[in-house]
Structures are given as structure tokens and as C-alpha cells.
Amino acid sequence: MYPPPAPARRDFISVTLSPGRSYDGGQGLRRRSCWRKWKQLSRLQRTVVLFLLVVVMLFGLLSYVHVADEWTGTSLHDPRVANKCFPVFHTVRPRGIGCLWLVHSRSPGERASLSLSSVAALGHPHLCPCSEHSRFSPCSWRGAGTKPQQGTEPPGKKAELPARPSPKAARIQQAPEGCGRRLPPAWAGYRKFAWGHGELKPLTRSFSEWFGLGLTLIDALDTMWILGLKKEFQEARNWVSKRLLFQKDVDVNLFESTIRILGGLLSAFHLSGDILFLKKAEDFGNRLMPAFRTPSKIPYSDVNIGTGVAHPPRWTSDSTVAEVTSIQLEFRELSRLTGDKKFQEAAEEVTRRVHALHGKLDGLVPMFINTNSGSFTHLGVFTLGARADSYYEYLLKQWIQGGKKERQLLEDYLEAVDGIRKHLLARSEPRKLTFVGELNHGRFSAKMDHLVCFLPGTLALGAHHGLPAEHMELAQALMDTCYQMYRQMETGLSPEIAHFNLHHTKAVKDVQVKAADRHNLLRPETVESLFYLYRLTGDRKYQDWGWEILHSFNTYTRVPSGGYSSISNVQDPRHPQPRDKMESFFLGETLKYLYLLFSDDPDLLSLDTYVFNTEAHPLPIWAPS
């Protein structure tokens, strides 16, 4: 038999298309083939594949957010950052370490929330909750640079600010392990670009020197301790131990070095218990003593800590009254700790002599005092701003520090408050804001320095310690005014000096600013007083106001590479003109008072236990002997 014929060879494929359907290039066949393969996998294999896909997508999302955080200067109003959680700075509380968070809401009707979250462990930034209502979100430091995004509005304008915490949300909440920690940008910038030097220049990523004594580092020691940055505190402590040497030929300002360096070392000793800081403080205090060797016992403004030569400024033989009367808290405490009475005796001799001087006006003092004659100069000019401000603050705080026993200090303070009421208070138009002006040979000036915003907090502190209730009423009125100095500016940041309108005109704001006074130096006085008012009244509007100010700092002064910069124009949100300087008091005072303001724990640096010097360094109130 013949074999069957071979099958015919085909060089083509026959395809039959169903009527009414178009050809899809084989996609349907491939989909069905993939589905058959997927169904052929075991349940375990399918679960593993799905899990890996989710992980890949999650890491992709996190990478995108991280890159956006690093390279964009997005405002907190930008919808791209909605529903994310941004730590502002880290904190320490008696019951553990915590973080301060901003939760920004996407929906216009949904308010943001702020909470102090207790952190069980500190690690690298991962996922962490902001509050009981928030989503899990990437933790990263966040804040706009010095140039705001186009389309954003400054505080008080169209955009709605992040809200302050609700009473429930502001309570301490336990966060799971893994909540990330990053350095506050202010400290991170200093550490990276100015470590061991005076002050950070964040724009040029460099530093400036004043005394050559690591000014920002020492000023921020207690801030780091309070905020729970123990690793960074230890790193700074090592620098103090090995690098902080006072045997050098350098002039220091007696007042500035006392409140920042001596006060910072004493406070670090009290909080940490580390004897190193006390030894350094005693060494430095001894090197400042030659400043008191004057014919009048009124100290010179400057002293060389290496040679022991003290002198007044080159242009005058005067010291300012604030300089010589705002060193007493620190020198008195140094004597108490060391047992060496010379520090206290020298400082208190200045207080006694100023008390007996002629030239006061109902407790108000002139701005200058001669170191040779010991008399006031430039008589007839009275202000609570620069050159006189902390004289009044230290009258009250010395009385509190000493256990309320030194009656003369209290009487001088009460007389001064009456003098302020009689000669320096006025009300603006159109909002009737109570403000503190100046008196120049009997002529009133509606000029008020931002420095004067220490006064609401000082008045409230006095009322807390038993002084008349009308002091608290005045404190609250002045606090409103200091807030309006921020609120009425286009950037939401106060100018260095404000002039208040006294004439009723509808088109004019209460707060007027001259071109030379439009700068903001990141000063702490307003947030300092907000802390006192909130701590002593419990009124949450003071937290609201502080939250707005913090938001404005982040929007107009934050430098993306690290740090914050003072600005030259608080009235131009598009061009605030950064000045490339972060004063040491921004870390030493401003951020510290902001954290204390947002804390609801009255035992955290209790005002019945500590008194803050004028650089925000807490010193203990002396227990009755």
C-alpha cells in the first residue's frame, strides 16, 4: 500500500473574524492567556505577588514624597501637601519624648489639628500618626523657603491657616514605635554649616562670629535638652568640654555674654545635672568680673576675657541701663551655686545704686548711665524698648528668684508699672489697640519696639505671683496689640518697630511701618508673652496666635538648605528680602517658647519653680532657707 500523502504545507494563518467585532491585535487572546496563567498559580503564589506589588507601589509613593520634600518650597497652603504630617520640632516632657505635628487638611471644611505625640522610640523617618484622626503619613521636616509659592496668600488674607489644636487633640497621645525623628532645620543648618561658631548664615551656608565662643551652640543647650534631642545635646556637650576655652584675647559684651553664655551654661547645668557646665560657668563668670572695676561700680559694657581689661564703648563712656541691670539673675545664681559671694555682691551693688539715682519719672528710667559718675545721662527720654526694656523685667524676676523677700525690688517694679500707665499708654485707631509709646522731653511718640512685647508676659507673671489683677488685664490688652503687629503685616510677621495711628481714618491700619523699620530678626518677645498668657489663663486663642506666627516663620524665613533667616521687608510677601542671618536667640528663645506655648503640661518648667532670664534660660526659684 502506498503511504498516506504528506499534509500540504501552509505558509499562512487563517483567521476568522466574528461579525460586529473589530480586530484587537491579539489583546483579547493575550488577556485570556494571562488570566489562565494567573488562575493556574496557587493561592499562596498569588498572595505573594499581590503583596510585592503593593510594597513596590508604596515605596514608589514614599520616594516621590521624599523628593518633593527635599526639592520643593511648597507652602503649607498648597493642596499638594494636603493630608500629610509634618513634624515642626521635637520635644521632651516629664513622661517621655514627643513631637510637635502639623496636619494639613485637603478639604476646605476640614480643620487641621496639632498634637503633642509621645514617642516610644526614635528612629529613622518612616510612617507615624499625627493624631487620632489623621492618616499615616511620611514624617519629614517641612517648611517653605524664603520665597513663597505663587498663588499662596499670607496669614490674614484669603488662605486659611492651619488650626490650633482642639482640647482633645492637644493631649499627649501614645505613638507606636518607629515614629521618625529628624533634626529641627534651624539646628541642622547650624550643625552643618556653622558648628562651633557664633551664628548661622543660612543663605550662604556659612557663619559669622561675635565672641568666638560658639554662641548659638551654648544658647541652644537647654533648648535641645527640653526638646529631647539628647544625642545632639551630648554632641554639643562634647564640644563644650573640649573646645570651649575662655583663655583668649577677645572682647565680649558684658550683658550679651552674661544672658546668653553664662545663663545658657547655668541652665544646662540645672537641667542635666552635669557639673561640666557649672565649672565652665564659674570660669566665665570670673573672667567677666573686671567689668565691675569702675569708679562708680556701674560696670563697663565690654571686657576682654583673656587679658582682663574692661572698657566702655569707643564712642562713649556710657553703658545702657538695660545692660547693667539685666545681669543680676545670672550672677546671683552663680554665687548661690559656687558659694562665692563676689558675683552676687557686684551685681546687686548696681541695683542699689540705680535705685537711688535721680532722673527717674514715676519709676521710669532713662536709657543711659555713665560708668564714671554713676549718674543717668540723656535725661528726659523714656522707653520700654531697646536700652531700657529688661531693667523692668529683672526687677520683678529678681524678686521672684529670691523667694519674694526683697521688698525694694517689688516696690520699684510696682512704681514703674504705675509710671507706664500714667505716661506711656495710649490707644490706636481704628481698633483701639492699647500700646506703649515713648516719651521724649515731655512729648509723646506713638512708637513701639517689638522688644516691648516682653511686657505682657512680665505683667502676667507678676499677677500670677500675687500682684494686682489689673496687671493681668493690661497684659491681655497689650498681648492683643503685639499680635496685631503680626496680623496687620502682609507676611504675618512683625516689624522691628511699629508706629501706631492716633487719627480716626477708615483707610488706615492701626500699625504703621517706616521703611527703615520693616525688618524682622526672628525675635522671641511676642511668642514669649503668648506662652505666659496661655500658661496662666488657659485661653487657647494664644495658641492660635502662636500657631499663625510659626506658620509665617516657616513660610517666609525658612531656608530649604537648613536654618531660618531674618528678613528685611515684612510688608512684601513675594520679596521678603532675606538677610542671611539666624540670631542665636532664635534657637535659644523663639523655638523654645513656641514649644512651651503648645504644651499643655503646667509642670513642664513650672512658673512656680523656675524663672526665665531675658534669654529664656530657666533658673530655679530659691527655696526658703
Side-chain angles (χ1 to χ4, degrees):
M1 296 181 60
Y2 292 98
R9 180 178 177 181
R10 296 183 179 180
D11 293 326
F12 62 90
I13 298 175
S14 176
V15 178
T16 302
L17 299 179
S18 301
R21 294 189 180 183
S22 61
Y23 176 62
D24 63 359
Q27 295 294 329
L29 293 173
R30 283 197 291 268
R31 281 196 296 267
R32 287 192 294 272
S33 176
C34 290
W35 179 246
R36 283 197 303 270
K37 292 179 180 179
W38 174 255
K39 295 295 288 182
Q40 289 171 358
L41 295 176
S42 69
R43 181 174 298 179
L44 176 60
Q45 290 173 322
R46 281 180 284 177
T47 301
V48 170
V49 171
L50 289 175
F51 175 77
L52 291 175
L53 287 174
V54 170
V55 169
V56 170
M57 292 175 63
L58 180 59
F59 273 96
L61 177 62
L62 291 179
S63 299
Y64 170 79
V65 172
H66 176 73
V67 171
D69 283 346
E70 294 294 333
W71 294 104
T72 65
T74 311
S75 168
L76 289 175
H77 292 306
D78 195 317
R80 287 177 292 175
V81 300
N83 295 323
K84 291 186 175 64
C85 157
F86 306 124
V88 181
F89 45 74
H90 289 270
T91 60
V92 67
R93 303 169 67 81
R95 289 174 294 280
I97 298 172
C99 306
L100 181 63
W101 307 103
L102 163 65
V103 186
H104 192 63
S105 165
R106 182 183 299 274
S107 86
E110 182 184 354
R111 298 300 298 263
S113 66
L114 170 72
S115 67
L116 293 169
S117 300
S118 178
V119 178
L122 295 177
H124 297 291
H126 293 302
L127 298 179
C128 57
C130 297
S131 72
E132 60 185 351
H133 303 297
S134 66
R135 298 183 182 181
F136 280 77
S137 307
C139 291
S140 63
W141 268 88
R142 183 73 174 156
T146 54
K147 292 183 179 180
Q149 289 287 312
Q150 294 185 2
T152 62
E153 293 292 337
K157 304 302 177 184
K158 295 180 181 179
E160 182 183 0
L161 286 169
R164 57 89 168 163
S166 65
K168 184 176 182 180
R171 303 301 173 189
I172 301 176
Q173 300 164 13
Q174 187 68 28
E177 294 190 11
C179 182
R181 177 178 64 83
R182 286 188 179 180
L183 286 177
W187 179 255
Y190 174 77
R191 184 181 181 278
K192 186 174 182 180
F193 303 121
W195 181 250
H197 295 285
E199 293 168 319
L200 171 66
K201 299 176 69 175
L203 296 178
T204 55
R205 304 183 185 186
S206 59
F207 56 85
S208 61
E209 287 288 11
W210 194 357
F211 309 137
L213 300 175
L215 190 61
T216 294
L217 186 150
I218 298 176
D219 221 1
L221 282 170
D222 54 5
T223 302
M224 285 185 286
W225 184 273
I226 294 165
L227 269 59
L229 298 172
K230 300 300 176 64
K231 178 182 177 181
E232 290 72 27
F233 179 88
Q234 184 62 38
E235 187 178 29
R237 188 264 183 206
N238 292 340
W239 185 92
V240 171
S241 175
K242 299 175 182 178
R243 304 293 298 277
L244 181 60
L245 304 175
F246 297 127
Q247 184 56 47
K248 56 176 60 180
D249 184 5
V250 60
D251 283 357
V252 302
N253 179 273
L254 173 66
F255 165 68
E256 296 290 357
S257 62
T258 295
I259 65 172
R260 302 191 198 206
I261 297 176
L262 183 58
L265 291 170
L266 290 172
S267 177
F269 165 70
H270 280 295
L271 294 177
S272 70
D274 192 331
I275 196 68
L276 167 71
F277 299 116
L278 178 57
K279 290 180 178 178
K280 292 288 185 179
E282 184 176 12
D283 182 13
F284 190 63
N286 279 316
R287 295 175 184 276
L288 296 178
M289 288 303 293
F292 295 91
R293 298 172 191 161
T294 69
S296 65
K297 305 300 182 183
I298 301 298
Y300 290 126
S301 63
D302 297 276
V303 59
N304 188 300
I305 58 174
T307 65
V309 176
H311 58 85
R314 292 181 176 84
W315 56 89
T316 181
S317 59
D318 293 346
S319 292
T320 71
V321 172
E323 283 180 331
V324 302
T325 59
S326 305
I327 55 179
Q328 281 70 21
L329 289 178
E330 299 82 359
F331 276 87
R332 282 156 49 113
E333 179 62 12
L334 185 58
S335 280
R336 189 182 74 88
L337 292 173
T338 63
D340 191 339
K341 298 298 183 184
K342 68 182 179 184
F343 305 112
Q344 182 172 352
E345 290 172 354
E348 289 184 343
E349 180 64 19
V350 177
T351 303
R352 286 191 290 270
R353 291 179 180 256
V354 170
H355 166 75
L357 287 179
H358 297 288
K360 298 178 184 178
L361 177 65
D362 295 327
L364 304 177
V365 295
M367 294 186 292
F368 296 97
I369 188 168
N370 188 273
T371 54
N372 294 320
S373 67
S375 300
F376 289 131
T377 62
H378 300 78
L379 300 178
V381 179
F382 303 98
T383 177
L384 262 73
R387 302 185 179 92
D389 49 351
S390 47
Y391 161 75
Y392 306 98
E393 176 187 358
Y394 268 41
L395 287 175
L396 175 69
K397 289 184 174 180
Q398 286 181 83
W399 175 69
I400 295 172
Q401 179 192 46
K404 307 178 188 177
K405 296 178 180 180
E406 298 154 292
R407 185 69 188 178
Q408 193 62 67
L409 293 168
L410 176 61
E411 291 177 357
D412 286 353
Y413 174 74
L414 291 173
E415 183 183 10
V417 173
D418 289 341
I420 294 168
R421 286 182 173 276
K422 183 176 180 180
H423 300 288
L424 301 183
L425 284 189
R427 302 185 74 186
S428 69
E429 294 291 345
R431 297 176 63 97
K432 306 295 184 183
L433 300 176
T434 300
F435 69 93
V436 178
E438 298 182 353
L439 203 63
N440 192 335
H441 301 286
R443 184 175 181 179
F444 181 80
S445 170
K447 169 181 174 288
M448 178 172 162
D449 292 0
H450 182 274
L451 289 167
V452 181
C453 287
F454 84 91
L455 186 58
T458 299
L459 289 168
L461 180 64
H464 173 69
H465 283 281
L467 301 189
E470 62 186 20
H471 286 204
M472 179 61 81
E473 296 172 3
L474 179 57
Q476 292 173 314
L478 290 173
M479 191 74 262
D480 291 349
T481 303
C482 290
Y483 168 63
Q484 289 298 326
M485 289 170 64
Y486 285 78
R487 183 71 171 179
Q488 294 191 22
M489 296 299 107
E490 286 77 0
T491 60
L493 293 173
S494 171
E496 179 74 359
I497 299 173
H499 292 259
F500 285 85
N501 177 49
L502 298 177
H503 307 287
H504 186 69
T505 305
K506 292 183 178 180
V508 177
K509 295 180 180 179
D510 299 74
V511 183
Q512 307 294 306
V513 186
K514 295 183 178 180
D517 305 328
R518 297 183 300 185
H519 51 287
N520 181 285
L521 303 182
L522 313 176
R523 287 197 185 276
E525 286 77 20
T526 293
V527 295
E528 170 187 358
S529 287
L530 287 172
F531 155 64
Y532 281 108
L533 267 293
Y534 176 66
R535 176 69 67 90
L536 299 176
T537 69
D539 190 336
R540 288 189 172 273
K541 74 177 181 181
Y542 301 121
Q543 284 187 324
D544 288 341
W545 296 353
W547 189 240
E548 293 178 20
I549 292 170
L550 175 59
H551 174 79
S552 295
F553 277 136
N554 275 331
T555 302
Y556 297 105
T557 72
R558 166 81 185 277
V559 178
S561 60
Y564 290 71
S565 173
S566 54
I567 60 175
S568 294
N569 192 347
V570 298
Q571 295 180 307
D572 189 345
R574 294 193 177 276
H575 302 286
Q577 301 172 31
R579 305 178 72 161
D580 196 22
K581 188 173 184 180
M582 186 179 79
E583 302 276 356
S584 78
F585 54 67
F586 183 67
L587 275 165
E589 298 185 76
T590 308
L591 290 183
K592 183 188 301 172
Y593 278 129
L594 279 168
Y595 168 61
L596 294 173
L597 168 63
F598 297 136
S599 169
D600 282 335
D601 186 353
D603 295 325
L604 179 60
L605 297 176
S606 167
L607 297 178
D608 294 317
T609 305
Y610 291 96
V611 61
F612 291 82
N613 83 338
T614 197
E615 191 72 8
H617 297 305
L619 301 174
I621 297 174
W622 301 347
S625 57

